[in-house]
Amino acid sequence: MARSFSLTTGFLLISLYICSAASHKPNAPHDLVRSSCVHARYPDLCLRTLSSFVGPTNTPRDLAQAAVSVSLTRARRVSSYLTTVWGFKSKRERVALSDCVQEISDSVDQLSRTLNELKHLGGAKFQWQVSNAETWVSAALTNDETCLDGFHDVEGKVKEDLKSKITNLARVTSNALYMINRVDDESRGH
């Protein structure tokens, strides 16, 4: 009888442990997103964009890739939007738009290179690869800001739409840089 009680208790404890572990597992990626986004420059935007990201977000490296992917998607959308903008009449406005098209195109290229680099992190080149990723995302962020600067004195709805889209792009790019820095910090044991 004691042996039967012991086996039943053991089985029950193992079952509870398995159920408990299974119930915590689905929240692990969400918890990582939440704990990682809390210190990002734009934490609410970070949480919103990475919580809804379709793909793995189980490690800081996954989060960095997801953040860069979100930024790249937004950069491509802004690039497409820029090709449809027709509301500028003055030569200065058209030049600013042309410059902005080039800046965002460069951002798309830099973010693409970053995503590729993050997908192949590892080995002896790890620190070099992370450094490349940080440099390219920083350059993309600078491009976003430079694009906005070109419209400093421009007025109107088109400018406001453009400013809103590029500001959002700059914010998700800033969060992507933060996530890459977390991968770097983790690799150094910080």
Side-chain angles (χ1 to χ4, degrees):
M1 180 82 160
R3 182 179 168 123
S4 173
F5 178 74
S6 177
L7 285 175
T8 303
T9 302
F11 179 73
L12 181 61
L13 289 174
I14 290 171
S15 296
L16 287 173
Y17 174 76
I18 290 171
C19 288
S20 175
S23 70
H24 284 72
K25 202 170 193 174
N27 290 333
H30 184 69
D31 291 344
L32 179 62
V33 169
R34 184 175 302 286
S35 66
S36 298
C37 285
V38 72
H39 297 293
R41 186 160 190 189
Y42 304 99
D44 293 338
L45 180 62
C46 179
L47 187 59
R48 191 170 59 250
T49 57
L50 294 182
S51 292
S52 63
F53 183 78
V54 178
T57 54
N58 300 316
T59 67
R61 180 177 165 182
D62 291 341
L63 283 180
Q65 288 179 23
V68 171
S69 183
V70 166
S71 185
L72 178 58
T73 297
R74 300 237 174 139
R76 286 178 175 150
R77 284 184 194 152
V78 169
S79 183
S80 277
Y81 172 77
L82 290 172
T83 63
T84 66
V85 174
W86 298 103
F88 297 117
K89 294 176 178 47
S90 76
K91 181 179 180 183
R92 190 168 75 48
E93 291 171 340
R94 289 190 306 270
V95 168
L97 178 61
S98 176
D99 290 346
C100 189
V101 166
Q102 185 59 52
E103 296 290 340
I104 299 303
S105 176
D106 289 347
S107 289
V108 167
D109 179 57
Q110 290 153 340
L111 292 167
S112 295
R113 291 170 68 187
T114 300
L115 189 57
N116 186 54
E117 194 82 338
L118 290 174
K119 288 179 179 179
H120 298 97
L121 283 179
K125 293 183 176 183
F126 181 86
Q127 285 306 136
W128 176 256
Q129 292 168 313
V130 171
S131 178
N132 285 341
E134 290 169 331
T135 299
W136 293 328
V137 172
S138 293
L141 186 56
T142 299
N143 290 338
D144 300 344
E145 292 167 357
T146 301
C147 175
L148 274 178
D149 289 345
F151 293 96
H152 182 68
D153 294 328
V154 177
E155 298 298 324
K157 180 174 175 8
V158 174
K159 181 213 175 184
E160 292 307 314
D161 288 347
L162 185 62
K163 182 179 177 182
S164 173
K165 291 177 186 322
I166 294 174
T167 298
N168 183 274
L169 171 58
R171 288 177 178 173
V172 295
T173 303
S174 176
N175 285 342
L177 180 58
Y178 171 75
M179 290 300 171
I180 294 169
N181 289 335
R182 283 182 48 91
V183 171
D184 191 22
D185 289 347
E186 183 180 88
S187 74
R188 296 172 193 252
H190 294 125

